[in-house]
Amino acid sequence: MPAYATNMRLKFPIVALVLEILTIVLFAVFVVYDDGKGHDAHGNSTATHQEEAVDPMTLYPMFQDVHVMIFIGFGFLMTFLKRYGFSSVGLNLLLAAFALQWGLLMQGLWHLDNGKIKVNIFKMINADFSTATVLISFGAVLGKTSPVQLLIMTILEITIFGINEHLVAEILGANDVGASMIIHAFGAYFGLAVARMLYRPALRNGHENDGSVYHSDLFAMIGTVFLWMFWPSFNSAIANPGADQLMAVTNTYFSLAACVLSAYAVSSLVEHKGKLDMVHIQNATLAGGVAVGTCADMNIGPFGAMLIGFVAGIISTLGFKFLSPILASSLGIQDTCGVHNLHGMPGILGGIAGIVAVALGKKDGSAAMQAAALASSLGFALVGGAITGLVMKLPFLSQPPDQNCFDDSIYWEVPEEEEVEESLAHGEHSTNKAEA
Amino acid sequence: MPAYATNMRLKFPIVALVLEILTIVLFAVFVVYDDGKGHDAHGNSTATHQEEAVDPMTLYPMFQDVHVMIFIGFGFLMTFLKRYGFSSVGLNLLLAAFALQWGLLMQGLWHLDNGKIKVNIFKMINADFSTATVLISFGAVLGKTSPVQLLIMTILEITIFGINEHLVAEILGANDVGASMIIHAFGAYFGLAVARMLYRPALRNGHENDGSVYHSDLFAMIGTVFLWMFWPSFNSAIANPGADQLMAVTNTYFSLAACVLSAYAVSSLVEHKGKLDMVHIQNATLAGGVAVGTCADMNIGPFGAMLIGFVAGIISTLGFKFLSPILASSLGIQDTCGVHNLHGMPGILGGIAGIVAVALGKKDGSAAMQAAALASSLGFALVGGAITGLVMKLPFLSQPPDQNCFDDSIYWEVPEEEEVEESLAHGEHSTNKAEA
Amino acid sequence: MPAYATNMRLKFPIVALVLEILTIVLFAVFVVYDDGKGHDAHGNSTATHQEEAVDPMTLYPMFQDVHVMIFIGFGFLMTFLKRYGFSSVGLNLLLAAFALQWGLLMQGLWHLDNGKIKVNIFKMINADFSTATVLISFGAVLGKTSPVQLLIMTILEITIFGINEHLVAEILGANDVGASMIIHAFGAYFGLAVARMLYRPALRNGHENDGSVYHSDLFAMIGTVFLWMFWPSFNSAIANPGADQLMAVTNTYFSLAACVLSAYAVSSLVEHKGKLDMVHIQNATLAGGVAVGTCADMNIGPFGAMLIGFVAGIISTLGFKFLSPILASSLGIQDTCGVHNLHGMPGILGGIAGIVAVALGKKDGSAAMQAAALASSLGFALVGGAITGLVMKLPFLSQPPDQNCFDDSIYWEVPEEEEVEESLAHGEHSTNKAEA
């Protein structure tokens, strides 16, 4: 265990407590239960909106699927690192728990009803959605940031997300039911911009802890598979009930299935001796869910969805193999989880597919507005991420030193690796691995 | 692997088979399918009860969420011990599978309909609930009890739970929709009373196996996160449909979110060098779900729920850090999983919050009856647990010896630790770790 | 890491890509969204079928439960092998993703509506079901087959499954709501026939990698418990809505509970020194779900379901202990996961229970047709599996050599076992375990 203190002793608790107390105060002022009698900001009854189903619990099973994606899916997907599992699943829980509260406020403030945010399942799904953007960005900077930095990122990112989401959905009136643009592309490019600002030259040649071990890769597969299974819920949760929702489920189900085949094929094709690479399998198999997001409730046909997924699996795998190393070496973008390949490029693909699909009349809308939505999402992400990255560099936010990156023990009490240690003791070696 | 036999060879199979056969006979006599035409013990139609929804499957998704909490949540939460994972998840499955059958009988006998128990999803949820009490108590004595002892505990605890539950819900008419009192406080203090009776002086200074390794802590996080995510279902499953159920979901969702922030903050504040402690994260983040249970369907406002969760996270973390060591050293209560901190104190907090909320008119009811319900739950738990603990000390129930505590190999065939062993063999050491 | 190439470099990617492109073309020709206005092949409106519920999303939560069983349940159940976890969960994902697409086509072709397959949640559940047969068979040949072989098996098995399923359900009109016969018995005996064809004499005395380590057994329990919990959804998903569906849930819930007790008891009874065996617990506890499948929606009474589960747990455990070794040594059937004990015998038991229950009038139907359905399922499985096994032996399908069985590193990039390696380095041994 390192001998230094984590320098978080007071900063982190104070920041966390102050943020939570502030949030509770804001909730006391603004947030009430939904009484089923909604009115929008202009005084019109919202009773015809999809959020006003007769039974207020109709969306609850889908909400829980999304909830599992946020907390198990993202959390365990990031446990692939050999010494960063506590932080991956633990900070994922911390950030998401705060982000959903903040997200409810930041989204709700755009849709006040007599000055109040009326919370219901629909709004809880949206709060979970806003959380997803933070977790995607977290993936880009995983292992290189302190909890305090990440809480600051959460506040800024969700605030900016709320603005862009309002612009895209309400002002531009663009379609993005599965959020290829406003969540995936936004979260990825936001995170990449932050990562660029936090560039670490000393990690140019890698870091000894920036890799997996056998069982950490299996833990990561828990995340992958739960994300994969419940993605149809993510893409359909806020679709119009009935046929549209069924269409969103169907498109996502088949896009993901096709994506698995192309991701496996390309992984084998490009890798050493034709072997499969766990990094690709853990991530690129999900690109079909990202890429079909914008089009999920459009009449593109099951085979159209499969084509999108098929292409996404290829692009994503190739990105991991060829593009990520270039981004790191040439542009100084060190993307720990490769979110550019899972959320960035597939998100843009999804946005473009949406432009084309709307232009072809697969859904009511304006191709120009779709394009504007994509541009807006990328613009807010890059500018917002760059500013956020600059803020995160402020010295008192306790960025970890290079040698402690990707290592839980800087922020966590980590148990001794008793197995090896004990065995070696029997072999009359007194090496204490944890001191190494 | 220890050379002694487990002394369970005949006792355990006989007890398990006899109990199951007895249970099947009781089911043949008492249990029938629900035909949707219920009448209560007084001959009144129960068609207006929440369990008589038009579609008998309405509650099924919530039932499955609760089911996941019982079998994955509790099961994996307890796998944090380095050498007791098989027992944690395996005995959890065994006990829960038996407990849900026994629970259906013990709860159903209080509500016979023409001499029969009519089983439906509502009753299955309640059977799972009764199971939760046993699993909470199991946490207190984890690693120090035999499967035979635990089956005996299951029978006694659920029987007593059924009495208290009937008293609280039917006689006192108290509110406890999320069961802070009748499940969490009851299960915790029952288990602590048992643990006191089974006090082991030899473990006063700890036990070498009473700790975690890196990957066992990650397995435990699977349990934590599933419990955390599905707790809104636990607290709302038996609420009145519609607005009440939505309120219970909302309150629990926000209480848990606030609890995470306070648990993390306090964990960092009280720990060595400001580091986070996995024991706190795995447990105290859930205290908000426990503490908001009684009030879940009360009109306390989202911020009220958050306050409860916030306080629960603080109390629970402080309990792990400061109170548990005192309970062990001064009172002889060795609480393996710290159920006092996750279920005990937060359960009492929930009960008190319920008294206050009812007194403030947040829900119809009597504050005195709420207080009586809390007192009844604690009383039945302490007395029932003490008696049960005495019964469990009977020598033929095969309590494991001190040196075999927290060790799967006394009851399980455990695979060789081939990795270490093999490597050492290559290093020309012949140490067989398993013999150590 | 082995020095040889995997000889999959081109074969596997080409097969995977060609199959997926072919599938997309077939989808473009045959598959459309369900518009809720179904007509069967004879032009009759299907609006009264259970798949035409008013809300097309009614079955979605059950679909997701089944989905979890397919991808998490089967995937992680097979991770028990110490060095084959990547392949278990990874190839499970690959095969299932392809199988569900192929299954939708192969089942849908028997029920065209104006020349089209109209996809809805009901059909997606059935597609997942057809996938289950492949994953069961995969269990029999786990560790001994290449991805190319397995993709070929998937195509053939699902095609044959589609024929048998049509025969059983439509021509014979037999009951098999939980698919004891058409999925479990079929998948098991199909896989055993394949395994027989792929018999490896060199593995007669076992293989050093054909076993578990401590944490791989815990990963497997994730699969076990998710299968166990969601089995009621599997057995009731396509039951008639309302009372029948509730009955199927109830019967499965109690059958599984009873099965746990008998499996634990018998495991302890037959094992060395009375200890529990993880192989039994991971598998035999599920036999109750298999065995109650055919009868799930029959009026057999909760205690009848428990009796079936109780017997299934005993048979399954005894099969693992006594029958599997004989099958391997005498008949040359090397059944890696013991699917004969989990799916084969319990599936036959389920079929027989169905014959008896129909004969006793517990459900409308013909006992003779039930018997014919069982015979048909076994016949198609054995003949189809034998032919498929012969096809899989074709040399260009790249069957792995004996010494590389049960080893991920032949198809996967496997990370170094850094922990042991590094520690030994500190102990001044340079043994590289991965080279061993």
Side-chain angles (χ1 to χ4, degrees), chain A residues 6 9 20 33 57 60 64 68 71-72 83-86 90 101 128 408-409 411 413 415 418 423 426-427, chain B residues 62 212-214 228-230 233 251 253 257-258 261 264 269 272-273 275-276 299 301 306 420 429 431 433:
Chain A
T6 173
R9 173 118 201 202
E20 185 57 42
Y33 303 118
M57 296 295 287
Y60 186 71
Q64 278 295 0
V68 172
F71 289 90
I72 287 284
R83 302 211 169 288
Y84 209 63
F86 289 10
Q101 300 174 63
D128 270 30
D408 280 331
S409 66
Y411 300 122
E413 299 281 349
E418 51 78 54
S423 297
H426 287 287
Chain B
M62 284 217 161
S212 66
V213 291
Y214 194 70
W228 195 91
M229 296 185 300
F230 290 155
S233 300
N251 283 337
Y253 178 74
L261 275 283
Y264 271 77
L269 205 57
H272 187 55
K273 295 175 185 159
K275 293 184 184 182
L276 298 164
N299 186 21
M306 291 161 85
V420 167
H429 293 279
T431 310
K433 172 142 189 304

Side-chain angles (χ1 to χ4, degrees), chain A residues 169-253:
Chain A
E170 306 291 329
I171 313 296
L172 300 178
N175 294 293
D176 198 15
V177 72
S180 302
M181 299 184 289
I182 63 175
I183 293 178
H184 295 288
F186 177 88
Y189 288 98
F190 191 101
L192 294 169
V194 171
R196 180 66 193 79
M197 291 298 130
L198 304 182
Y199 175 59
R200 290 171 183 264
L203 301 188
R204 226 170 341 184
N205 299 314
H207 187 291
E208 60 168 332
N209 287 334
D210 186 9
S212 66
V213 291
Y214 194 70
H215 282 165
S216 71
D217 270 325
L218 280 178
F219 279 112
M221 284 300 286
I222 298 173
T224 297
V225 177
F226 272 106
L227 286 168
W228 195 91
M229 295 185 301
F230 290 156
W231 215 293
S233 300
F234 192 95
N235 281 357
S236 70
I238 60 170
N240 291 321
D244 279 6
Q245 200 165 38
L246 176 61
M247 189 182 283
V249 165
T250 306
N251 283 337
T252 310
Y253 179 72

Side-chain angles (χ1 to χ4, degrees), chain B residues 1-6 8-10 12-13 16-17 20-21 23-24 27-28 31-34 55-57 60-61 63-64 67-68 71-72 76 79 82-86 89-91 93-94 97-98 100-101 104 119-121 124 127-128 151 213 215-216 219 222 226 408-420 422-424 426-427 429, chain C residues 58 61-62 65 82-83 208 212-219 221-222 224-226 228-234 236 241-243 245-247 249-251 253-254 256-262 264-266 268-278 281 285 296 298-303 305-307 310 314 417 419-421 424 429 431 433 436:
Chain B
M1 217 158 304
Y4 54 85
T6 171
M8 301 279 295
R9 175 120 199 200
L10 286 176
F12 170 69
L17 291 175
E20 185 58 42
I21 291 168
T23 304
I24 293 177
F27 266 65
V31 183
V32 296
Y33 303 117
D34 186 19
D55 178 358
M57 297 296 288
Y60 186 71
F63 158 69
Q64 278 295 359
H67 219 39
V68 171
F71 289 90
I72 287 284
F76 278 90
T79 60
K82 64 178 108 170
R83 302 211 169 287
Y84 210 63
F86 289 10
V89 69
L91 296 186
L93 173 60
L94 173 70
F98 178 63
L100 65 87
Q101 301 174 63
L104 191 107
V119 63
N120 54 23
I121 304 295
M124 287 160 64
D128 271 30
L151 285 172
V213 291
H215 281 164
S216 71
F219 278 112
I222 298 173
F226 272 105
D408 281 330
S409 67
I410 187 172
Y411 300 122
W412 298 82
E413 299 280 349
V414 175
E416 303 287 317
E417 295 289 340
E418 52 79 53
E419 299 195 4
V420 167
E422 216 176 90
S423 298
L424 288 170
H426 287 287
H429 293 279
Chain C
T58 302
M62 284 217 162
D65 291 351
K82 66 178 106 168
R83 300 209 169 290
E208 60 169 333
S212 65
V213 292
Y214 193 71
H215 281 165
S216 71
D217 270 325
L218 281 178
F219 279 113
M221 284 302 285
I222 298 173
T224 297
V225 178
F226 272 107
W228 195 91
M229 296 185 300
F230 290 156
W231 215 293
S233 300
F234 192 95
S236 69
Q245 200 164 38
L246 176 61
M247 188 182 285
V249 165
T250 306
N251 283 336
Y253 178 74
F254 288 117
L256 284 162
C259 177
V260 167
L261 274 284
S262 64
Y264 271 77
V266 176
S268 170
L269 204 58
V270 299
E271 279 298 308
H272 187 56
K273 297 175 185 157
K275 293 183 182 180
L276 298 164
D277 187 323
M278 259 290 169
I281 303 312
T285 52
M298 301 185 185
N299 186 21
I300 56 176
F303 83 98
M306 291 161 84
L307 270 179
F310 187 77
I314 294 170
E417 296 290 338
E419 298 195 4
V420 167
E421 195 190 332
L424 288 170
H429 293 280
T431 310
K433 174 141 187 300

Side-chain angles (χ1 to χ4, degrees), chain C residues 145-167:
Chain C
T145 39
S146 73
V148 175
Q149 286 182 302
L150 292 167
L151 285 173
I152 301 302
M153 184 179 87
T154 300
I155 293 178
L156 295 175
E157 180 164 2
I158 283 190
T159 307
I160 298 166
F161 163 79
I163 298 169
N164 182 58
E165 196 258 349
H166 182 69
L167 182 65

Side-chain angles (χ1 to χ4, degrees), chain A residues 38-290:
Chain A
H39 288 78
D40 64 21
H42 309 287
N44 303 313
S45 168
T46 60
T48 56
H49 285 189
Q50 65 269 57
E51 52 183 301
E52 303 295 321
V54 176
D55 177 359
M57 296 295 287
T58 302
L59 282 173
Y60 186 71
M62 283 216 164
F63 159 70
Q64 278 295 0
D65 291 351
V66 172
H67 219 39
V68 172
M69 294 175 72
I70 297 296
F71 289 90
I72 287 284
F74 282 102
F76 277 90
L77 180 59
M78 293 189 280
T79 59
F80 74 100
L81 289 170
K82 64 178 107 168
R83 302 211 169 288
Y84 209 63
F86 289 10
S87 301
S88 295
V89 70
L91 296 185
N92 188 82
L93 173 60
L94 173 69
L95 298 180
F98 178 63
L100 65 85
Q101 300 174 63
W102 194 251
L104 192 107
L105 290 170
M106 288 302 112
Q107 292 191 288
L109 289 176
W110 294 98
H111 306 92
L112 291 178
D113 182 350
N114 292 325
K116 297 291 180 186
I117 300 168
K118 294 190 170 182
V119 64
N120 54 23
I121 305 293
F122 187 85
K123 288 218 175 65
M124 286 160 65
I125 291 172
N126 273 301
D128 270 30
F129 278 176
S130 68
T131 297
T133 61
V134 175
L135 303 180
I136 292 166
S137 303
F138 180 34
V141 299
L142 188 74
K144 299 169 299 191
T145 37
S146 73
V148 175
Q149 286 182 301
L150 292 167
L151 285 172
I152 302 301
M153 184 178 88
T154 300
I155 293 177
L156 295 175
E157 179 163 4
I158 284 190
T159 307
I160 299 166
F161 163 80
I163 298 169
N164 181 58
E165 197 258 348
H166 182 70
L167 182 66
V168 165
E170 306 291 329
I171 313 296
L172 300 178
N175 294 293
D176 198 15
V177 72
S180 302
M181 299 184 289
I182 63 175
I183 293 178
H184 295 288
F186 177 88
Y189 288 98
F190 191 101
L192 294 169
V194 171
R196 180 66 193 79
M197 291 298 130
L198 304 182
Y199 175 59
R200 290 171 183 264
L203 301 188
R204 226 170 341 184
N205 299 314
H207 187 291
E208 60 168 332
N209 287 334
D210 186 9
S212 66
V213 291
Y214 194 70
H215 282 165
S216 71
D217 270 325
L218 280 178
F219 279 112
M221 284 300 286
I222 298 173
T224 297
V225 177
F226 272 106
L227 286 168
W228 195 91
M229 295 185 301
F230 290 156
W231 215 293
S233 300
F234 192 95
N235 281 357
S236 70
I238 60 170
N240 291 321
D244 279 6
Q245 200 165 38
L246 176 61
M247 189 182 283
V249 165
T250 306
N251 283 337
T252 310
Y253 179 72
F254 288 118
S255 174
L256 283 162
C259 178
V260 168
L261 274 283
S262 64
Y264 271 77
V266 176
S267 178
S268 170
L269 204 59
V270 300
E271 278 299 307
H272 189 54
K273 297 177 185 157
K275 293 184 183 181
L276 298 164
D277 187 323
M278 259 292 169
V279 173
H280 306 162
I281 303 311
Q282 284 158 3
N283 293 280
T285 52
L286 301 168
V290 173

